[in-house]
Amino acid sequence: MKGVSSNIHSDPLLGAVLKQLDIAVFMWQENGFFQPLCSLPSWFNQLYFTKSLNRANDDLEYYLGTHFPFIENFLYDAEQVWSERQNSSLRSGLWTEDVSEYQELYLEAVALNIDSQPVLLIVNETSNFDLRHKVFQNARNLALKNEKLESSVQDHQRQLQKQLEKLYKKDRLKQQLPDEIEQESSAVLICKQDGGVEVYNKALIDIYSLNNDDELQRHSLLQKWIKEAEKQYPEIHRVLKSGKHWEGEFETHDAKHAKKWVRLTIAPSTNESGEVQHFICIANDISHIRLSISEIERLTQIDTTTQLPNRRSFWQYLSTEINKQQATPTGLALLYLDLDNFRRVNDDLGPKQADFLLNTVATRLKRCLKKNDYVAHLGGDEFAVVIVGFTDQHSLATIAQRIKENIYRDVSFSDFTLNVGTSIGIAVYPQHGVKARQLVKSADYAMYHAKEMGRNQFQFSSPYSRRRIKQKLHIEQGLKEALRNSEFELLFQPQIAIGSTTEHRLEALIGWQHPLKGRI
């Protein structure tokens, strides 16, 4: 330990070079603190003393793990490097720290084992990151020059959706669409729950190359869309049955069996009781702005909002890791996260503030997980974490609890503060699924169960959770049919107070006379 320390301290030029390169250098001590090996950059002192609430450090003892959760998690892997006999190194990957409300640093920790000396570098990559980000963005813009057009399609669909919802509530869409909607380039379809067509515009006929209106009336486009979309979005059934808004992009076929890509939004229209009665669907043919599959896989693995791996990358990674587990089992678990009440945030605050919240959640997720843990943003308010090499369910519960606590902290916007919880479903390979799709469905059911248990909780997948959610969705669907078929009846039940004859009461109940199961 003396060798490395004395060499750096005795070489002021080397210390000056490291400081100029924005690198803070420390020696790890066995009692848990870090000793700086040269003069520290000003950015590090400002950051550390802000976190530690100290303005001076006369003892030169820096408790990095205490004040930097990301480093605390990284130390688990770093100590393995430092315990080895040979020289080696390990990088943490980038993480972010807020110096102030307006300044954010991109940092990377590097654990070095130099002749059995445990050295830690903290490198400020902010300027390099900005440069790399600009280069990447320029390359992306050249390769995906139609991305802005795709984004404008998305924004237009959302605005049109809101316009249609308002018109529907005013009973202006029952028979025909207004002229401005009829002339829309976006295809519009309003249908019943079972897919029965109510109204639509000409763009829908054009996209699907239908010869006449009768073809559309004979087939349920809604069911066709759901079947095509579930290959990429297996949760679509659960989302629509629970009355939530859904949107996505997927491959489809028109009436002439030609392949096309569409971007589709489906929004439920509910009555005063909150029951879904109709679906408002908007579709756009985006085939002309899609790149080849190879280019998409190469260039669009990152979600632009959070800079995390996106849905496509997630499915590839999960499938690959499951294949590895079949050859060499080391333990694999999937944590499926859904932010609680995010739609309210999106509706009340707008998309920009919602994106800010998603970025904050993404940063907190990365901070509280190890480098080898995989985190992806699946779109909307859903995230996924893949853990490989865990020990037991207790360790997974510890990770889920840490995630829950890290996310459920105040998020400061420009003029207010809020916090957001997350519901987490956990599925373990192979107990809860031997294929990627099965594992995702199991985690999705467990997540939905966690929401039912009061939100901001986590639940492991179990036969009960799957059965409970399926049963609930089945009952919800059955109740809607029972309402249409007049299967409810009013019942009166006497309430009797033992020992008293002065008061008599009746309790009014609603009974459900199920055609197959009898009285429910």
Side-chain angles (χ1 to χ4, degrees):
M1 195 172 289
K2 289 182 180 179
V4 176
S5 176
S6 60
N7 284 344
I8 293 181
H9 279 296
S10 63
D11 191 342
L13 178 59
L14 179 57
V17 169
L18 291 170
K19 187 175 181 180
Q20 187 69 27
L21 292 174
D22 277 345
I23 300 175
V25 186
F26 298 90
M27 178 79 75
W28 179 65
Q29 307 294 327
E30 292 182 358
N31 51 7
F33 69 87
F34 289 82
Q35 178 185 7
L37 298 183
C38 60
S39 179
L40 296 172
S42 57
W43 63 264
F44 180 84
N45 286 324
Q46 180 186 0
L47 179 62
Y48 183 83
F49 294 141
T50 299
K51 286 182 170 291
S52 64
L53 302 179
N54 294 326
R55 304 312 305 165
N57 195 350
D58 299 332
D59 298 330
L60 295 179
E61 295 180 354
Y62 288 79
Y63 292 89
L64 302 180
T66 302
H67 302 300
F68 298 99
F70 189 91
I71 291 181
E72 181 181 17
N73 287 286
F74 177 63
L75 289 180
Y76 175 83
D77 296 318
E79 289 178 16
Q80 303 297 316
V81 173
W82 293 331
S83 65
E84 297 172 357
R85 295 186 178 182
Q86 70 271 22
N87 292 350
S88 57
S89 64
L90 178 68
R91 290 181 173 272
S92 69
L94 291 180
W95 87 93
T96 58
E97 294 288 351
D98 294 327
V99 178
S100 67
E101 186 178 354
Y102 306 102
Q103 184 182 5
E104 187 176 54
L105 298 178
Y106 290 88
L107 308 178
E108 183 172 32
V110 184
L112 300 175
N113 186 334
I114 305 176
D115 297 331
S116 297
Q117 309 286 353
V119 177
L120 180 72
L121 308 181
I122 301 180
V123 186
N124 185 356
E125 292 281 7
T126 305
S127 59
N128 293 331
F129 177 84
D130 291 341
L131 179 61
R132 288 202 305 268
H133 183 69
K134 288 178 181 177
V135 172
F136 171 80
Q137 193 63 43
N138 288 337
R140 180 184 175 86
N141 287 340
L142 289 173
L144 301 175
K145 56 186 176 181
N146 286 324
E147 186 175 343
K148 288 185 178 179
L149 179 57
E150 193 167 358
S151 177
S152 67
V153 170
Q154 174 179 308
D155 292 339
H156 179 67
Q157 282 189 339
R158 292 176 179 176
Q159 292 171 7
L160 182 58
Q161 195 87 56
K162 291 181 179 180
Q163 182 183 355
L164 288 168
E165 287 174 358
K166 290 179 180 178
L167 290 172
Y168 200 90
K169 288 179 180 178
K170 295 178 180 179
D171 290 336
R172 292 186 56 194
L173 299 179
K174 300 298 184 182
Q175 301 298 327
Q176 62 181 18
L177 296 172
D179 290 341
E180 68 271 19
I181 305 297
E182 182 60 44
Q183 300 303 318
E184 263 285 344
S185 59
S186 298
V188 173
L189 170 67
I190 299 178
C191 62
K192 300 175 184 177
Q193 263 195 315
D194 60 1
V197 175
E198 292 183 302
V199 290
Y200 57 92
N201 67 352
K202 183 177 180 298
L204 189 69
I205 299 294
D206 294 339
I207 288 178
Y208 279 90
S209 304
L210 299 172
N211 294 323
N212 51 58
D213 297 357
D214 293 338
E215 286 190 62
L216 181 60
Q217 297 288 351
R218 285 199 303 268
H219 305 286
S220 171
L221 264 183
L222 179 67
Q223 299 304 322
K224 171 183 170 65
W225 283 332
I226 292 174
K227 186 176 180 180
E228 292 170 338
E230 69 176 348
K231 297 174 183 177
Q232 290 179 251
Y233 308 92
E235 74 282 2
I236 186 172
H237 291 280
R238 191 260 305 165
V239 172
L240 294 181
K241 285 182 179 179
S242 60
K244 294 176 66 176
H245 179 279
W246 181 91
E247 61 181 45
E249 300 172 3
F250 55 91
E251 193 174 57
T252 185
H253 296 80
D254 65 16
K256 298 178 181 178
H257 305 291
K259 289 184 180 180
K260 293 186 176 183
W261 275 87
V262 296
R263 186 179 196 283
L264 175 68
T265 67
I266 304 176
S269 176
T270 57
N271 59 18
E272 294 179 355
S273 302
E275 299 169 330
V276 178
Q277 292 187 313
H278 310 272
F279 287 110
I280 299 175
C281 310
I282 301 173
N284 280 86
D285 184 350
I286 60 171
S287 305
H288 62 292
I289 57 175
R290 295 285 297 192
L291 297 180
S292 68
I293 297 299
S294 60
E295 288 176 307
I296 290 172
E297 291 180 349
R298 182 171 60 88
L299 293 170
T300 60
Q301 297 292 315
I302 300 298
D303 171 65
T304 54
T305 301
T306 62
Q307 297 302 308
L308 289 175
N310 60 14
R311 179 184 292 274
R312 185 179 296 107
S313 178
F314 162 74
W315 280 105
Q316 291 177 352
Y317 178 84
L318 183 61
S319 298
T320 300
E321 289 301 316
I322 286 177
N323 289 336
K324 291 180 182 177
Q325 292 294 314
Q326 293 172 352
T328 310
T330 57
L332 181 146
L334 170 64
L335 281 67
Y336 203 98
L337 285 67
D338 186 278
L339 302 183
D340 297 329
N341 301 316
F342 176 77
R343 185 177 180 183
R344 184 161 55 89
V345 174
N346 193 39
D347 291 344
D348 294 346
L349 306 181
K352 288 186 177 180
Q353 299 287 39
D355 285 350
F356 176 82
L357 178 59
L358 289 174
N359 267 314
T360 302
V361 169
T363 300
R364 290 178 177 178
L365 267 175
K366 289 185 288 187
R367 284 179 181 174
C368 69
L369 293 166
K370 297 199 297 293
K371 175 189 174 183
N372 293 333
D373 296 335
Y374 180 88
V375 188
H377 180 215
L378 305 183
D381 57 353
E382 295 181 341
F383 294 82
V385 176
V386 180
I387 307 292
V388 177
F390 64 93
T391 53
D392 51 31
Q393 284 202 359
H394 177 72
S395 64
L396 291 176
T398 302
I399 293 171
Q401 182 66 24
R402 185 166 68 240
I403 289 174
K404 185 168 70 75
E405 291 174 353
N406 271 270
I407 290 179
Y408 194 70
R409 290 187 285 115
D410 286 349
V411 179
S412 297
F413 293 84
S414 56
D415 55 351
F416 65 96
T417 300
L418 60 81
N419 54 30
V420 60
T422 182
S423 299
I424 306 173
I426 307 173
V428 178
Y429 173 88
Q431 296 95 307
H432 304 136
V434 295
K435 294 184 180 297
R437 198 169 304 280
Q438 294 171 341
L439 205 63
V440 170
K441 280 190 174 181
S442 294
D444 185 50
Y445 280 132
M447 179 276 295
Y448 198 70
H449 185 205
K451 280 191 179 295
E452 281 207 320
M453 296 298 290
R455 301 179 184 270
N456 202 34
Q457 296 192 25
F458 64 87
Q459 290 287 331
F460 283 87
S461 177
S462 67
Y464 170 78
S465 67
R466 292 192 293 273
R467 186 171 60 251
R468 175 77 178 91
I469 300 307
K470 285 183 177 179
Q471 182 183 29
K472 183 176 184 295
L473 293 174
H474 182 73
I475 289 176
E476 286 180 356
Q477 187 63 32
L479 287 172
K480 294 167 187 173
E481 294 177 1
L483 192 60
R484 287 195 295 267
N485 299 333
S486 300
E487 295 171 3
F488 295 115
E489 55 184 0
L490 180 63
L491 304 174
F492 295 100
Q493 177 172 292
Q495 291 184 336
I496 301 172
I498 298 177
S500 173
T501 60
T502 58
E503 293 184 4
H504 300 279
R505 297 180 181 175
L506 289 176
E507 182 179 32
L509 304 172
I510 292 291
W512 178 11
Q513 189 63 38
H514 195 282
L516 299 178
K517 299 181 180 180
R519 177 70 57 80
I520 298 179

